[in-house]
Tab-separated table of all heavy atoms in Angstrom:
chain	number	residue	atom	x	y	z
A	110	GLN	N	101.328	76.607	84.521
A	110	GLN	CA	100.907	77.689	83.747
A	110	GLN	C	101.814	78.896	83.993
A	110	GLN	O	102.192	79.104	85.197
A	110	GLN	CB	99.466	78.142	84.048
A	110	GLN	CG	98.369	77.142	83.675
A	110	GLN	CD	97.013	77.652	84.051
A	110	GLN	OE1	96.718	77.780	85.251
A	110	GLN	NE2	96.155	77.903	83.049
A	111	THR	N	102.203	79.623	82.992
A	111	THR	CA	102.918	80.915	83.175
A	111	THR	C	101.908	82.028	83.137
A	111	THR	O	101.147	82.124	82.185
A	111	THR	CB	104.038	81.125	82.153
A	111	THR	OG1	103.519	81.161	80.839
A	111	THR	CG2	105.024	79.991	82.237
A	112	VAL	N	102.057	82.972	84.075
A	112	VAL	CA	101.127	84.089	84.223
A	112	VAL	C	101.916	85.353	84.061
A	112	VAL	O	102.757	85.698	84.899
A	112	VAL	CB	100.398	84.065	85.531
A	112	VAL	CG1	99.375	85.202	85.655
A	112	VAL	CG2	99.727	82.711	85.758
A	113	THR	N	101.685	86.144	83.029
A	113	THR	CA	102.400	87.411	82.787
A	113	THR	C	101.521	88.629	82.987
A	113	THR	O	100.497	88.704	82.352
A	113	THR	CB	103.009	87.507	81.366
A	113	THR	OG1	103.863	86.361	81.168
A	113	THR	CG2	103.787	88.761	81.169
A	114	TRP	N	101.902	89.451	83.962
A	114	TRP	CA	101.072	90.619	84.356
A	114	TRP	C	101.992	91.818	84.479
A	114	TRP	O	102.943	91.782	85.254
A	114	TRP	CB	100.351	90.329	85.655
A	114	TRP	CG	99.419	91.479	86.042
A	114	TRP	CD1	99.644	92.413	87.019
A	114	TRP	CD2	98.133	91.756	85.493
A	114	TRP	NE1	98.564	93.306	87.130
A	114	TRP	CE2	97.651	92.935	86.192
A	114	TRP	CE3	97.399	91.250	84.492
A	114	TRP	CZ2	96.464	93.509	85.912
A	114	TRP	CZ3	96.165	91.841	84.189
A	114	TRP	CH2	95.701	92.934	84.877
A	115	LEU	N	101.758	92.859	83.772
A	115	LEU	CA	102.600	94.060	83.663
A	115	LEU	C	101.971	95.248	84.358
A	115	LEU	O	100.771	95.464	84.312
A	115	LEU	CB	102.898	94.409	82.257
A	115	LEU	CG	103.694	93.383	81.380
A	115	LEU	CD1	103.854	93.894	79.998
A	115	LEU	CD2	105.052	93.122	82.016
A	116	PHE	N	102.868	96.116	84.930
A	116	PHE	CA	102.452	97.519	85.419
A	116	PHE	C	102.923	98.543	84.342
A	116	PHE	O	102.250	99.564	84.247
A	116	PHE	CB	103.133	97.753	86.750
A	116	PHE	CG	102.838	96.707	87.740
A	116	PHE	CD1	103.927	96.075	88.420
A	116	PHE	CD2	101.597	96.344	88.052
A	116	PHE	CE1	103.701	95.067	89.360
A	116	PHE	CE2	101.292	95.320	89.091
A	116	PHE	CZ	102.346	94.731	89.698
A	117	GLU	N	104.081	98.315	83.703
A	117	GLU	CA	104.563	99.203	82.647
A	117	GLU	C	105.246	98.375	81.631
A	117	GLU	O	105.823	97.348	81.860
A	117	GLU	CB	105.564	100.245	83.247
A	117	GLU	CG	104.997	101.199	84.265
A	117	GLU	CD	106.068	102.116	84.808
A	117	GLU	OE1	106.297	103.176	84.206
A	117	GLU	OE2	106.671	101.772	85.848
A	118	GLY	N	105.274	98.916	80.351
A	118	GLY	CA	106.021	98.271	79.296
A	118	GLY	C	105.208	97.303	78.458
A	118	GLY	O	103.942	97.293	78.549
A	119	SER	N	105.893	96.507	77.643
A	119	SER	CA	105.309	95.535	76.725
A	119	SER	C	106.197	94.299	76.683
A	119	SER	O	107.430	94.440	76.770
A	119	SER	CB	105.110	96.095	75.364
A	119	SER	OG	104.307	97.230	75.301
A	120	VAL	N	105.575	93.113	76.548
A	120	VAL	CA	106.321	91.878	76.352
A	120	VAL	C	105.689	91.137	75.207
A	120	VAL	O	104.514	91.074	75.128
A	120	VAL	CB	106.338	91.034	77.621
A	120	VAL	CG1	106.956	89.678	77.371
A	120	VAL	CG2	106.996	91.753	78.836
A	121	LEU	N	106.637	90.640	74.305
A	121	LEU	CA	106.175	89.823	73.154
A	121	LEU	C	106.356	88.374	73.517
A	121	LEU	O	107.500	87.922	73.892
A	121	LEU	CB	106.972	90.195	71.909
A	121	LEU	CG	106.771	89.235	70.672
A	121	LEU	CD1	105.308	89.298	70.221
A	121	LEU	CD2	107.763	89.649	69.569
A	122	HIS	N	105.320	87.591	73.412
A	122	HIS	CA	105.337	86.160	73.666
A	122	HIS	C	105.196	85.398	72.334
A	122	HIS	O	104.319	85.709	71.585
A	122	HIS	CB	104.168	85.825	74.611
A	122	HIS	CG	103.809	84.369	74.669
A	122	HIS	ND1	104.257	83.555	75.731
A	122	HIS	CD2	103.076	83.569	73.830
A	122	HIS	CE1	103.767	82.322	75.472
A	122	HIS	NE2	103.068	82.302	74.380
A	123	ARG	N	106.053	84.397	72.136
A	123	ARG	CA	105.902	83.475	71.061
A	123	ARG	C	106.003	82.070	71.652
A	123	ARG	O	106.747	81.797	72.576
A	123	ARG	CB	107.045	83.597	70.059
A	123	ARG	CG	107.015	84.889	69.236
A	123	ARG	CD	108.083	84.838	68.136
A	123	ARG	NE	108.016	85.965	67.237
A	123	ARG	CZ	108.883	87.011	67.268
A	123	ARG	NH1	109.785	87.019	68.253
A	123	ARG	NH2	108.805	87.975	66.413
A	124	ASP	N	105.207	81.083	71.090
A	124	ASP	CA	105.262	79.769	71.660
A	124	ASP	C	105.122	78.748	70.517
A	124	ASP	O	104.918	79.055	69.373
A	124	ASP	CB	104.266	79.551	72.766
A	124	ASP	CG	102.812	79.683	72.290
A	124	ASP	OD1	102.487	79.236	71.193
A	124	ASP	OD2	101.952	80.171	73.087
A	125	ALA	N	105.224	77.477	70.926
A	125	ALA	CA	105.148	76.301	70.029
A	125	ALA	C	103.814	76.100	69.392
A	125	ALA	O	103.714	75.343	68.401
A	125	ALA	CB	105.640	75.094	70.730
A	126	LEU	N	102.769	76.738	69.851
A	126	LEU	CA	101.480	76.680	69.271
A	126	LEU	C	101.393	77.641	68.068
A	126	LEU	O	100.354	77.620	67.360
A	126	LEU	CB	100.364	77.017	70.287
A	126	LEU	CG	100.107	76.019	71.365
A	126	LEU	CD1	99.352	76.669	72.494
A	126	LEU	CD2	99.377	74.853	70.826
A	127	GLY	N	102.383	78.544	67.874
A	127	GLY	CA	102.276	79.519	66.862
A	127	GLY	C	101.756	80.857	67.363
A	127	GLY	O	101.603	81.786	66.585
A	128	SER	N	101.517	80.943	68.679
A	128	SER	CA	101.027	82.181	69.279
A	128	SER	C	102.076	83.224	69.201
A	128	SER	O	103.259	83.018	69.353
A	128	SER	CB	100.666	81.965	70.770
A	128	SER	OG	99.885	80.824	70.974
A	129	GLU	N	101.698	84.443	68.877
A	129	GLU	CA	102.580	85.636	68.851
A	129	GLU	C	101.747	86.737	69.380
A	129	GLU	O	100.888	87.302	68.698
A	129	GLU	CB	103.139	85.912	67.469
A	129	GLU	CG	104.099	87.055	67.408
A	129	GLU	CD	104.813	87.186	66.075
A	129	GLU	OE1	105.037	86.130	65.405
A	129	GLU	OE2	105.077	88.313	65.696
A	130	GLN	N	101.942	87.154	70.630
A	130	GLN	CA	101.093	88.092	71.338
A	130	GLN	C	101.847	89.033	72.224
A	130	GLN	O	102.589	88.616	73.128
A	130	GLN	CB	100.091	87.284	72.215
A	130	GLN	CG	99.051	88.148	72.951
A	130	GLN	CD	98.149	88.914	72.049
A	130	GLN	OE1	97.447	88.304	71.278
A	130	GLN	NE2	98.155	90.243	72.117
A	131	VAL	N	101.644	90.325	71.979
A	131	VAL	CA	102.163	91.373	72.846
A	131	VAL	C	101.177	91.545	73.970
A	131	VAL	O	99.973	91.660	73.835
A	131	VAL	CB	102.365	92.701	72.078
A	131	VAL	CG1	102.738	93.821	73.096
A	131	VAL	CG2	103.406	92.541	71.029
A	132	VAL	N	101.736	91.712	75.231
A	132	VAL	CA	100.916	91.934	76.380
A	132	VAL	C	101.302	93.296	76.946
A	132	VAL	O	102.532	93.638	76.927
A	132	VAL	CB	101.007	90.885	77.491
A	132	VAL	CG1	102.398	90.723	78.042
A	132	VAL	CG2	99.965	91.054	78.548
A	133	VAL	N	100.355	94.096	77.412
A	133	VAL	CA	100.621	95.415	77.953
A	133	VAL	C	99.853	95.503	79.281
A	133	VAL	O	99.086	94.645	79.631
A	133	VAL	CB	100.118	96.549	77.007
A	133	VAL	CG1	100.824	96.469	75.711
A	133	VAL	CG2	98.577	96.524	76.723
A	134	PRO	N	100.108	96.569	80.086
A	134	PRO	CA	99.438	96.668	81.375
A	134	PRO	C	97.911	96.540	81.271
A	134	PRO	O	97.295	97.126	80.416
A	134	PRO	CB	99.882	97.977	81.867
A	134	PRO	CG	101.256	98.209	81.334
A	134	PRO	CD	101.121	97.643	79.919
A	135	GLY	N	97.311	95.834	82.156
A	135	GLY	CA	95.875	95.576	82.230
A	135	GLY	C	95.442	94.412	81.426
A	135	GLY	O	94.241	94.064	81.372
Side-chain angles (χ1 to χ4, degrees):
Q110 291 180 297
T111 63
V112 183
T113 302
W114 183 256
L115 296 178
F116 307 124
E117 296 178 86
S119 301
V120 173
L121 172 63
H122 164 99
R123 292 187 175 101
D124 65 37
L126 289 164
S128 312
E129 186 170 326
Q130 180 65 59
V131 174
V132 64
V133 298

